[in-house]
Amino acid sequence: MTTPSSAQSSDLTSGAPDATDATADGAIVRTENLTKTYQMGPSELTVLREVSIDIKQGEYIAIMGPSGSGKSTLLNLLGCLDRPTTGRYLLGGQDISLVDDDELSAIRGAKIGFIFQSYNLIHQLNIIENIEVPMIYQNFSESASEARARELAELVGLGDRLRHRTTELSGGQQQRVAIARALANDPLIILGDEPTGNLDSKSGKEILDLLDSLHQQGKTLIIVTHDDDVSLRAQRVFHVLDGRIERIDVHDN
Amino acid sequence: MFLLRLKRTVKLGAKSLWMHRLRSTLTALGIVFGVCSVVAMLAIGEGAGRDAQDQIARLGAQNIIIKSIKPPRSDSAKTGTNRYEAYGLSYADVRRIRDTVPHIQEVVPKRLITLQATYRNRSVTVQVIGTASWYGEVHPMRLLRGRFLAYMDEKRQQKAAIVDQQVVDQLFAVDDPIDTNIKLKGDYFTVVGLVAPSGAAGPAGQDAARLKTGGRAGDAAVGNIYVPLSTFKTCFEGSRERVELEELTIKVDSTESVLLIRDALEVLLRRFHKNKDYQIIVPLELLRQAARTKRIFNIVLGSIAAISLLVGGIGIMNIMLATVSERTREIGIRRALGARRSDIIIQFLSETLLLTLTGGLLGIALGLIVPIMVTHFGDMPTVITGQSLIMAFGISAAIGITFGLYPAYRAAHMDPIESLRHE
Ligand SMILES: Nc1ncnc2c1ncn2[C@@H]1O[C@H](COP(=O)(O)OP(=O)(O)OP(=O)(O)O)[C@@H](O)[C@H]1O
Ligand SMILES: [Mg+2]
């Protein structure tokens, strides 16, 4: 398999980060004893316990585990949608635990691409406009963001239906739009929470192929899944159980 | 950079309004009618008040007017059937006032008579005012042509007359009135000057005319002719011997002393007119009264309008809260994709502001039409002030911000993870 560094990266999905984006040993994502506790009335519910992981630039990571084990919670923390109760999270060398809400939004907007199980497209907008959403908050001009959205739509194979409403698309097509949207800000990491969970096996496979090609172009992927097909494609699989990383499988593909 | 983002976010708001056209229109209607009623009510209130104030103001804020009135029946212990019994103000009163009351600048005596004026073969009813040459100092008049009465006219009992535009219109048609002779009760008077119509000097005279004709205001169309008091005496005396002076206007040196002088005059006159055959009118007092009435009128009308605006504002807030909860998921998506709280606030606030401001503009447009209709069909004066328009627009902006801020704040402070889970 091609190494990330030798990937034929187009300028749309140039995965190579700045030198400053990684910690000294090359980890783009590093957590140190991440703990997440929810206050449920008088009692506390600890969902993540002392999770310490390192993910390098260009890696393809799968996160697996039984329902309720804390996979989504971990992914939300990695995606800067939430802050850990204790512990540190360094994204591209920047300590996320210390920044305020505005800064967190800015980091999400600049460094993270999300793919959701239920696609989460805005149905009032057409395909192009959906792909443009992250770029609005990155201060793209209208013409620049539209041009980029068009290219990304081509890239995910939807170049022929740019002005369609999202409700006119199949699940697989919607997920492609979501992937194009996740690429719009040229993120440091792409996070997927069961991206194939709502799809039949055929369109699920198409999405996975698309993710594979992104990986080959040097993108860093972190995908939560119940699907063994996904984990087989990943380089490392984190097995989560009861809020802990129980085991890490390394695939030699 | 920030501006670019602001522009795009505002555009989002506009777009989503456009997408829900019917809902937006219905929501904005509340503001339209609210602002419309504010503008219309203020115009009607202002019109009603100003009309009264103008009339009074023309009497002069520094003036005190004393009028001769028929003494009340019960007071005149005598039979009261004697039609030629003398009553009212006299030249002696003028002298007494001038000699004893301080702070007085001018005392203008006035005699009035209504009669026929004839020029060539045309004849109209006019009001002849016999007065002094300094009449203009007390009742400002706009001289259009010629001159006003002079001291020499008075001294030599000249048969000089000043006519107002009204008389010119009725009597002269196209002829130049200056230096022509008009016939007033057998005597020929030479027209020496032309003044602006009743606007300037009229109301005082018309007021008197109204008093004489039993309060009917319908005769307002009668023109005025001013002649020297001395001439008036020689030419028209005898016909109206019962009253020596119909009216006396006293100009005081400052508005502060008006009420004091009024009291002094009251004391003085009461001594010599036991039968109460005079009436003191203080325009300043009337003016203040009218201003007070107008203010109350405006407050009442304004409150009614404000309540309708408030209802409109609550309607907007209601819809915006519904919109926010309906679009929870969209908000979560935008937040996950990099929107800051401020971006979400701007998006929703701009929706409300666009609604209220367009509603406000439409309301102003409608509010401008209503007073015109009221004036046209209701025959009521209305005055639209720029101030009220600015206020109405300001209010709709304020409503947009007040009632839009909370829904926008709610939207911005939703937890992104929760919002994404929202169905
Ligand atoms: N906001 C919250 N408040 C309280 N408890 C929460 C909250 N979010 C998640 N949890 C709890 O944390 C635990 C882990 O949830 P999480 O969504 O991470 O599980 P998961 O591994 O993603 O499961 P699934 O595979 O079903 O998606 C669950 O027991 C859940 O009830
Ligand atoms: Mg989950």
Side-chain angles (χ1 to χ4, degrees):
Chain A
M1 181 132 203
T2 46
T3 57
S5 53
S6 67
Q8 64 281 40
S9 58
S10 77
D11 62 333
L12 282 175
T13 57
S14 63
D18 300 338
T20 52
D21 273 348
T23 50
D25 54 356
I28 197 169
V29 168
R30 160 168 293 171
T31 69
E32 296 169 359
N33 301 322
L34 271 198
T35 301
K36 184 70 191 180
T37 306
Y38 289 111
Q39 196 73 43
M40 307 281 284
S43 61
E44 284 189 344
L45 179 67
T46 302
V47 178
L48 281 184
R49 300 163 203 271
E50 314 226 310
V51 173
S52 298
I53 51 174
D54 271 339
I55 296 170
K56 287 194 182 55
Q57 160 68 34
E59 268 197 294
Y60 188 165
I61 306 290
I63 300 176
M64 295 190 79
S67 187
S69 55
K71 305 181 297 291
S72 295
T73 306
L74 177 59
L75 202 74
N76 288 339
L77 283 180
L78 295 181
C80 299
L81 281 168
D82 206 354
R83 263 176 292 209
T85 314
T86 60
R88 282 214 316 159
Y89 169 31
L90 299 170
L91 173 64
Q94 185 180 10
D95 192 342
I96 302 305
S97 340
L98 302 174
V99 304
D100 65 6
D101 188 86
D102 268 2
E103 189 73 15
L104 221 49
S105 305
I107 292 168
R108 284 197 297 270
K111 300 189 172 173
I112 291 166
F114 284 102
I115 308 167
F116 303 93
Q117 177 173 2
S118 48
Y119 328 126
N120 275 338
L121 301 180
I122 300 172
H123 295 302
Q124 283 81 20
L125 308 180
N126 64 29
I127 293 175
I128 285 291
E129 290 165 335
N130 263 288
I131 300 173
E132 280 185 281
V133 171
M135 293 189 269
I136 293 175
Y137 305 115
Q138 296 303 306
N139 301 311
F140 276 65
S141 75
E142 270 171 80
S143 52
S145 69
E146 198 191 316
R148 183 169 169 84
R150 208 177 278 276
E151 290 177 69
L152 287 166
E154 305 260 353
L155 187 87
V156 298
L158 290 170
D160 53 340
R161 47 192 65 181
L162 299 175
R163 298 287 169 198
H164 280 225
R165 299 286 301 270
T166 53
T167 42
E168 295 161 3
L169 300 179
S170 73
Q173 287 168 328
Q174 289 195 46
Q175 197 61 299
R176 284 162 191 274
V177 177
I179 290 171
R181 186 179 67 184
L183 293 170
N185 56 354
D186 191 16
L188 213 53
I189 54 175
I190 295 172
L191 306 179
D193 197 343
E194 302 185 39
T196 57
N198 283 9
L199 299 175
D200 60 61
S201 59
K202 180 170 166 288
S203 35
K205 188 180 167 302
E206 284 169 10
I207 293 299
L208 290 179
D209 288 343
L210 186 56
L211 290 179
D212 270 350
S213 77
L214 293 179
H215 173 229
Q216 275 158 36
Q217 287 167 37
K219 284 288 169 192
T220 311
L221 303 176
I222 305 172
I223 309 292
V224 168
T225 186
H226 287 289
D227 188 349
D228 287 330
D229 280 356
V230 183
S231 63
L232 284 174
R233 296 173 189 242
Q235 290 167 309
R236 287 199 287 163
V237 182
F238 296 174
H239 290 275
V240 183
L241 189 64
D242 198 16
R244 286 179 220 277
I245 305 284
E246 187 214 23
R247 188 176 90 241
I248 300 178
D249 288 345
V250 181
H251 292 181
D252 208 11
N253 48 353
Chain B
M1 269 230 308
F2 173 72
L3 278 180
L4 195 69
R5 181 162 169 175
L6 184 72
K7 189 182 124 205
R8 295 195 72 171
T9 319
V10 171
K11 233 175 164 175
L12 277 179
K15 194 171 168 185
S16 123
L17 286 182
W18 181 243
M19 233 146 20
H20 301 104
R21 273 165 296 240
L22 181 63
R23 181 202 284 185
S24 307
T25 313
L26 291 177
T27 313
L29 272 185
I31 296 297
V32 172
F33 291 135
V35 168
C36 169
S37 56
V38 166
V39 172
M41 296 268 191
L42 287 181
I44 291 167
E46 189 74 29
R50 192 178 282 187
D51 202 37
Q53 274 184 314
D54 275 0
Q55 282 192 14
I56 299 165
R58 270 189 243 119
L59 297 178
Q62 286 181 40
N63 291 354
I64 297 173
I65 298 162
I66 308 175
K67 281 180 177 167
S68 298
I69 55 169
K70 250 201 189 93
R73 278 268 149 102
S74 54
D75 267 44
S76 57
K78 293 169 198 168
T79 53
T81 48
N82 183 2
R83 293 178 57 213
Y84 294 101
E85 184 190 352
Y87 65 89
L89 301 165
S90 63
Y91 290 103
D93 290 321
V94 177
R95 205 177 47 246
R96 274 197 287 270
I97 289 168
R98 233 191 244 136
D99 292 348
T100 58
V101 183
H103 295 296
I104 287 180
Q105 274 184 354
E106 305 285 354
V107 178
V108 178
K110 199 157 141 190
R111 297 230 41 188
L112 300 169
I113 189 166
T114 306
L115 42 72
Q116 291 295 114
T118 314
Y119 171 69
R120 295 203 174 154
N121 53 0
R122 219 189 300 241
S123 188
V124 295
T125 304
V126 297
Q127 173 163 264
V128 179
I129 300 165
T131 189
S133 56
W134 58 87
Y135 182 86
E137 311 233 341
V138 175
H139 303 282
M141 289 201 296
R142 203 150 57 83
L143 195 63
L144 299 175
R145 306 260 320 270
R147 60 174 179 88
F148 198 67
L149 295 174
Y151 176 66
M152 288 314 273
D153 296 327
E154 171 78 29
K155 192 159 188 197
R156 294 185 186 158
Q157 299 189 14
Q158 293 284 1
K159 288 186 177 137
I162 314 295
V163 297
D164 72 2
Q165 191 65 48
Q166 184 99 37
V167 176
V168 174
D169 292 344
Q170 290 173 348
L171 206 54
F172 292 95
V174 290
D175 292 4
D176 181 2
I178 300 292
D179 286 338
T180 56
N181 291 320
I182 51 176
K183 194 169 146 199
L184 295 170
K185 207 192 170 206
D187 287 292
Y188 282 94
F189 282 71
T190 309
V191 176
V192 296
L194 167 60
V195 294
S198 26
Q206 276 168 26
D207 230 24
R210 208 175 293 167
L211 212 69
K212 275 191 298 186
T213 52
R216 271 191 293 117
D219 310 303
V222 173
N224 291 322
I225 296 181
Y226 304 87
V227 300
L229 192 58
S230 55
T231 321
F232 189 101
K233 260 190 259 179
T234 52
C235 295
F236 309 123
E237 207 86 316
S239 61
R240 295 188 51 82
E241 289 155 322
R242 285 186 298 157
V243 182
E244 207 172 302
L245 273 178
E246 276 85 0
E247 199 178 307
L248 209 54
T249 305
I250 294 160
K251 188 175 185 184
V252 175
D253 59 5
S254 76
T255 49
E256 280 87 63
S257 36
V258 166
L259 295 183
L260 268 164
I261 301 303
R262 197 262 321 263
D263 294 342
L265 287 170
E266 181 80 54
V267 171
L268 182 71
L269 288 172
R270 206 181 300 145
R271 231 173 339 132
F272 295 94
H273 295 266
K274 297 265 190 270
N275 56 351
K276 289 220 146 211
D277 53 0
Y278 64 91
Q279 179 194 15
I280 301 183
I281 297 165
V282 184
L284 182 71
E285 233 174 14
L286 298 177
L287 205 60
R288 287 184 181 153
Q289 184 67 44
R292 246 193 319 272
T293 315
K294 189 187 120 193
R295 194 154 353 111
I296 292 168
F297 202 52
N298 275 353
I299 287 172
V300 171
L301 288 180
S303 311
I304 294 169
I307 287 169
S308 68
L309 255 182
L310 188 74
V311 171
I314 292 171
I316 285 204
M317 182 149 158
N318 199 8
I319 291 294
M320 285 315 289
L321 283 175
T323 304
V324 165
S325 86
E326 188 179 277
R327 287 159 67 185
T328 301
R329 189 144 182 150
E330 178 195 331
I331 295 162
I333 295 169
R334 290 188 184 275
R335 292 279 278 141
L337 300 184
R340 294 170 199 200
R341 284 186 174 148
S342 56
D343 292 316
I344 302 296
I345 288 190
I346 289 168
Q347 183 183 340
F348 284 92
L349 199 56
S350 62
E351 272 191 39
T352 341
L353 270 176
L354 279 171
L355 269 184
T356 49
L357 292 187
T358 39
L361 284 178
L362 283 176
I364 285 174
L366 216 64
L368 289 176
I369 296 170
V370 171
I372 293 170
M373 307 252 284
V374 166
T375 307
H376 190 256
F377 294 110
D379 200 24
M380 240 173 103
T382 52
V383 176
I384 294 160
T385 60
Q387 215 180 339
S388 76
L389 296 189
I390 292 168
M391 194 177 91
F393 194 71
I395 288 176
S396 47
I399 283 185
I401 290 173
T402 319
F403 291 97
L405 214 47
Y406 177 64
Y409 178 90
R410 273 261 290 256
H413 283 76
M414 292 193 298
D415 178 40
I417 299 175
E418 299 273 329
S419 319
L420 281 170
R421 249 188 239 134
H422 193 266
E423 261 324 303

